[in-house]
Amino acid sequence: MRVDELTAECVGALSESEPRLAVHTVLERAVTDRTFVESLGSPTPGLNVLHHAADLTVLNVVWPPLVSLFPHNHLMWAAIGIYGGREDNTFYRRQGRAIIASGGKELGEGDVLLLGDDAIHAVDNPVRAYTGAIHVYGGDFFATPRSQWDADTLKEAPYDIEAVREAFAAAERAVAANGAPRSTNARS
Ligand SMILES: [Fe+2]
């Protein structure tokens, strides 16, 4: 599978009766396919857009070593497939006006996770290596108004993509300060 085939199959999945499950199947194939991973090349850390439309967004997310991203929601279904490294998800649920942690899921290479429309999660890369993941969203990831929560106070605020980019940039500065990380499929 190549990148353009992945995005075409995700677009096709929207016509299925259960788009999320269809995307899950596509991602399971993609992230364990050496040809697909090699076709990604050596993407820059951060959010690399593979497909962006009103009904579907596909990102190649390259997490820097030890990056930690504050809780946030998407308000659309999502599917996450890991092709290199690890991605730890912490889930939250609303309780009154607050959110409380409600479990987690540690993802490794080859794993695929589905998230519902109302999911709230924080994401950590727990390893000193880049993590590579394909994130598929059932809507417009960039234009949909949603929420983020301060990592310390858990105070809700409007989602700010620039805060996300700053979290990645801070982790990259730490990489520059601490020396070269291990290589993974995400960056070799
Ligand atoms: Fe997310």
Side-chain angles (χ1 to χ4, degrees), residues 45-49 52 57-61 63 67-74 76 121 135 137 140-149 157-170:
L47 310 176
N48 298 278
V49 179
H52 182 204
T57 305
V58 183
L59 305 178
N60 176 12
V61 181
W63 301 97
V67 68
S68 183
L69 187 61
F70 43 76
H72 59 277
N73 62 12
H74 311 119
M76 63 189 74
H121 73 157
H135 288 208
Y137 301 90
D140 188 332
F141 176 85
F142 295 99
T144 302
R146 48 205 167 91
S147 292
Q148 64 189 43
W149 285 263
Y159 187 81
D160 177 6
I161 192 74
E162 289 309 318
V164 176
R165 293 196 169 108
E166 174 50 29
F168 279 87

Side-chain angles (χ1 to χ4, degrees), residues 3-178:
V3 174
D4 56 340
E5 292 170 319
L6 169 83
T7 56
E9 291 199 27
C10 288
V11 169
L14 296 180
S15 304
E16 302 282 337
S17 58
E18 294 282 356
R20 267 192 309 166
L21 299 183
V23 165
H24 188 285
T25 302
V26 173
L27 277 184
E28 277 189 321
R29 281 182 24 240
V31 297
T32 55
D33 181 341
R34 289 296 314 174
T35 304
F36 171 75
V37 174
E38 286 168 9
S39 77
L40 294 170
S42 191
T44 55
L47 310 176
N48 298 278
V49 179
L50 303 180
H51 179 88
H52 182 204
D55 57 356
L56 184 76
T57 305
V58 183
L59 305 178
N60 176 12
V61 181
V62 179
W63 301 97
L66 305 179
V67 68
S68 183
L69 187 61
F70 43 76
H72 59 277
N73 62 12
H74 311 119
L75 301 183
M76 63 189 74
W77 63 259
I80 295 168
I82 309 297
Y83 63 83
R86 283 187 37 209
E87 190 188 293
D88 288 355
N89 281 253
T90 304
F91 301 116
Y92 296 82
R93 59 181 171 81
R94 290 183 182 274
Q95 186 173 72
R97 297 179 62 185
I99 58 169
I100 59 172
S102 63
K105 181 76 176 174
E106 297 178 0
L107 304 177
E109 201 170 306
D111 288 338
V112 178
L113 172 70
L114 292 180
L115 298 174
D117 296 33
D118 58 352
I120 301 170
H121 73 157
V123 182
D124 290 271
N125 176 4
V127 293
R128 292 185 183 278
Y130 286 92
T131 286
I134 303 298
H135 288 208
V136 182
Y137 301 90
D140 188 332
F141 176 85
F142 295 99
T144 302
R146 48 205 167 91
S147 292
Q148 64 189 43
W149 285 263
D150 183 272
D152 296 321
T153 66
L154 297 183
K155 186 173 185 298
E156 187 171 0
Y159 187 81
D160 177 6
I161 192 74
E162 289 309 318
V164 176
R165 293 196 169 108
E166 174 50 29
F168 279 87
E172 279 295 284
R173 289 193 292 272
V175 169
N178 296 328

